[in-house]
Amino acid sequence: YVRYRRMIRDGKAWQPFRMGPNIEPGGVDARIPNIVQRLALEGDLDPAVAATLTGTTYSPEIVEGVRSFQARHGLLNDGRIG
């Protein structure tokens, strides 16, 4: 909780993004940049790696970050978003 409050205070809060279809590994989606940012802020994706990821392709590096996020939250860590 404190970490999230600190993120809000520092202007690094979740950027909202629109609902949409599931995102499959290797897919392309305009929401990917926001997801990369969030994964890096949460510690599920190395910020140095996140900085190299441009575009909207759901690459293997991002899939691993999503799997980390899913596992940390007790979710099925299949890498699918949605």
Side-chain angles (χ1 to χ4, degrees):
Y1 175 78
V2 172
R3 184 172 83 176
Y4 292 113
R5 299 292 295 175
R6 201 172 294 136
M7 287 168 64
I8 291 168
R9 180 196 69 209
D10 296 342
K12 297 179 181 176
W14 244 125
Q15 296 301 313
F17 58 91
R18 65 177 171 71
M19 297 294 293
N22 291 349
I23 306 171
E24 301 289 339
V28 174
D29 194 285
R31 299 172 289 174
I32 292 295
N34 284 347
I35 293 167
V36 168
Q37 178 187 27
R38 181 61 176 202
L39 291 171
L41 288 171
E42 292 276 345
D44 295 298
L45 182 63
D46 183 314
V49 172
T52 69
L53 300 172
T54 60
T56 58
T57 301
Y58 187 25
S59 69
E61 298 87 354
I62 303 168
V63 173
E64 287 308 308
V66 168
R67 285 185 175 153
S68 172
F69 176 91
Q70 291 169 328
R72 198 165 49 80
H73 289 278
L75 303 169
L76 176 65
N77 62 340
D78 61 0
R80 295 177 69 221
I81 300 172

